[in-house]
């Protein structure tokens, strides 16, 4: 009996509660006087800076960043087709990584009550150490799934021995791809809280997926 080559795709998915939350907020102001607009945006963002510095000192925030202010101007047109005086805009964004996920809702409630403040979203994720460990475990589980599939195929046609020939990330072997197949990946769940009435946010699980292609000789 000649050898038979079996090619399969193994997949795996893991879910885990997030360990960190990256929160993005911004202050925006506009008006006819450029200097006043810049001063307003700095006043609007100062309470955010102070609260983040306090949270970091207490260990609730791991890191936070405060990029430079963005400033631009435009000259709008009125209904009569006349161009009006320039309107100046200023925006200043902040990003904070929360280690205490229970502190996120309260902080967003506090800062969003201030004038000119916009909440851009929340990204739930893992620490790098946990992410690497979970990616390795999920990839190994995908390989095990491939072995189980190949064993089932071989058994169905009376072959009892399998010899592994190749294993690779999905798509790297010449196989027919599945529409939803993915290479090993860590997915962070995004949440846009800007339109929420209040911020009773609930962390969404982080999903880690892996897919591998494997080729075996069945005897």
């Amino acid at each position: 009996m000649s050898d038979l080559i079996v090619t399969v795709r193994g997949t795996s998915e893991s879910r885990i509660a997030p360990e960190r939350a990256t929160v993005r907020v911004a202050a925006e102001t506009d008006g006819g006087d450029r200097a006043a607009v810049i001063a307003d945006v700095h006043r609007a963002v100062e309470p955010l800076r102070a609260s983040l510095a306090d949270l970091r000192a207490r260990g609730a925030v791991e890191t936070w960043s405060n990029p430079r202010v963005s400033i631009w101007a435009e000259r709008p047109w009125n209904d009569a087709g006349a161009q009006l005086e320039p309107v100046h805009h200023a925006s200043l964004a902040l990003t904070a990584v929360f280690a205490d996920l229970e502190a996120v809702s309260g902080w967003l409630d506090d800062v969003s009550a201030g004038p000119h403040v916009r909440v851009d979203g929340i990204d739930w994720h893992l620490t790098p150490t946990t992410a690497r460990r979970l990616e390795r475990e999920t990839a190994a589980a995908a390989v095990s799934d491939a072995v189980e599939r190949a064993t089932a195929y071989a058994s169905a046609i009376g072959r009892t021995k399998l010899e592994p020939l190749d294993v690779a990330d999905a798509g790297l072997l010449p196989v027919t791809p599945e529409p939803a197949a993915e290479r090993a990946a860590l997915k962070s769940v995004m949440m846009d809280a800007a339109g929420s009435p209040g911020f009773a946010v609930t962390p969404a699980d982080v999903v880690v997926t892996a897919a591998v292609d494997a080729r075996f000789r069945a005897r």
Side-chain angles (χ1 to χ4, degrees):
M1 184 181 295
S2 62
D3 291 346
L4 177 71
I5 303 300
V6 179
T7 304
V8 295
R9 174 160 294 174
T11 60
S12 181
E13 178 179 291
S14 302
R15 292 177 178 270
I16 188 172
E19 299 171 307
R20 298 291 185 270
T22 297
V23 181
R24 299 179 307 281
V25 299
E28 286 190 350
T29 58
D30 57 68
D33 185 282
R34 184 177 185 275
V37 167
I38 296 173
D40 286 345
V41 78
H42 280 291
R43 275 194 296 270
V45 85
E46 190 54 40
L48 280 66
R49 290 173 174 153
S51 63
L52 288 174
D54 177 62
L55 287 169
R56 185 176 185 187
R58 292 191 278 122
V61 166
E62 193 171 75
T63 61
W64 66 278
S65 61
N66 180 193
R68 292 181 179 179
V69 62
S70 299
I71 306 167
W72 69 99
E74 61 177 341
R75 294 193 65 184
W77 300 79
N78 65 14
D79 294 340
Q83 194 169 24
L84 305 178
E85 292 299 314
V87 175
H88 299 275
H89 303 266
S91 175
L92 206 161
L94 294 94
T95 300
V97 179
F98 279 74
D100 181 359
L101 303 189
E102 294 183 356
V104 174
S105 295
W107 186 75
L108 289 177
D109 265 335
D110 290 343
V111 301
S112 63
H116 311 300
V117 176
R118 182 187 72 240
V119 178
D120 286 336
I122 307 171
D123 179 12
W124 307 104
H125 54 97
L126 305 173
T127 63
T129 299
T130 301
R132 286 192 296 269
R133 174 183 60 79
L134 201 60
E135 286 173 344
R136 289 193 299 268
E137 292 174 355
T138 307
V143 174
S144 296
D145 181 58
V147 173
E148 291 178 7
R149 289 172 184 262
T151 301
Y153 292 163
S155 298
I157 55 177
R159 306 298 175 97
T160 58
K161 294 183 179 180
L162 282 179
E163 177 188 350
L165 300 177
D166 297 290
V167 62
D169 285 340
L172 297 185
L173 293 182
V175 296
T176 302
E178 298 173 10
E182 299 177 63
R183 296 177 64 177
L186 172 66
K187 296 181 179 179
S188 300
V189 180
M190 303 290 291
M191 175 178 179
D192 183 0
S196 302
F199 292 94
V201 294
T202 302
D205 284 349
V206 175
V207 181
V208 180
T209 62
V212 298
D213 292 335
R215 185 180 290 116
F216 300 84
R217 178 179 287 113
R219 296 173 178 172

